[in-house]
Amino acid sequence: MMDSETKSLWSHLLGEAMDGELKGTVLESYPSHMTDWANWRAENPETTVAKLSRTSQRYRTEFYRNPSQFVVGIAGGGMAKAWNFQQLTKTPIVNDQFSDQSLVVVFDSKSKTALTFSRTLDDQVLTFEEKDKAMVDRETRSVWNRLSGKAIDGPLKGKRLAPMVSIVSFSKAWVTFHPNTTGLTKAELEESRAPRRSRNRQPRGDDKKP
Amino acid sequence: MWQRLLAFSLLFPCLSTADAQEREFNPVKVGRLFGRFQPITEFPIVPANKAELEPNELVLGVVVNGKARAYPINMLTGPSREILNDQLGGAAIAATW
């Protein structure tokens, strides 16, 4: 992409000017995530919506039918870490670290929604686990909504985890833009770096997304 | 100001993995036949009950200063549509994917 003001060229995935007057400048990123409309509306009933004419019909939850092709990743400070959707399908709550931050990666298999939240709340680092299909922290046994990051029962009821800036991407794109990424297995990295095979292609149209 | 308000036209910057340690910038120009795309800075914003979306359609969702907005991916697809210059919660943002 290019900005009209300086004609600098920017990378979508990095948010960084790659060429031109602003080369090396990185835009501030806001926490955002991709999910389905039903989930977003349920979690954000007052949401507004950008309404333009449709240019596609294919971007629905079925788009993620090959979960191994996708990752959710975090980058910053010259480092990057990613978590593959295939692994998240098996382990939908991952307590992890990135740089000096404690975070939890959560995955909703039904909507194929991947989110990242800080595990630090009021100077306490929480550890999350799945119990009876709910997300519970070991320290207080509070129950959390994994899509909103909000405690819905227990001592921390009403508290909310801080969302982190993360991006859902094709694993191939993530590895291209973050060649030194951690978090992926050797096999996942090799698969991401291999030329795309026809059997992995999306059915039609624009295949560079998301 | 440029950090807060960018109006984009489209190029797709790509990085080569030929040398994993050294990034090589090889932008691919799109829309050659049509010239530069005009930046999108104005478009309808509607409440949820006017969205006319199906439950399983993917959206990119963001909350800025307590204000939530969804960008339906099926409306952001195509070279001329992939960047929306918007205002939300008092901030100038570019929604892109």
Side-chain angles (χ1 to χ4, degrees), chain B residues 65-88:
Chain B
N65 295 325
K67 301 293 184 185
R69 184 157 296 163
Y71 301 91
I73 301 302
N74 283 324
M75 300 176 187
L76 266 70
T77 299
S80 65
R81 275 289 185 84
E82 294 173 341
I83 307 160
L84 299 183
N85 296 274
D86 202 1
Q87 301 270 345
L88 183 64

Side-chain angles (χ1 to χ4, degrees), chain A residues 1 4 10 53-55 209, chain B residues 7 11 13 46 57 77 81 97:
Chain A
M1 53 190 185
S4 297
W10 298 76
S53 61
R54 275 185 174 75
T55 48
K209 298 299 183 184
Chain B
L11 285 170
V46 300
E57 286 193 74
T77 299
R81 275 289 185 84
W97 85 299

Side-chain angles (χ1 to χ4, degrees), chain A residues 75-89:
Chain A
M79 297 182 293
K81 192 166 192 174
W83 298 264
N84 187 276
F85 272 27
Q86 185 71 52
Q87 295 301 318
L88 291 172
T89 302

Side-chain angles (χ1 to χ4, degrees), chain A residues 137-163:
Chain A
D137 74 78
R138 285 181 198 163
E139 287 75 14
T140 74
R141 309 311 294 174
S142 298
V143 180
W144 300 77
N145 178 327
R146 72 183 70 189
L147 290 170
S148 66
K150 188 175 180 180
I152 54 177
D153 200 7
L156 297 179
K157 183 178 179 180
K159 294 281 189 179
R160 193 181 283 268
L161 301 173

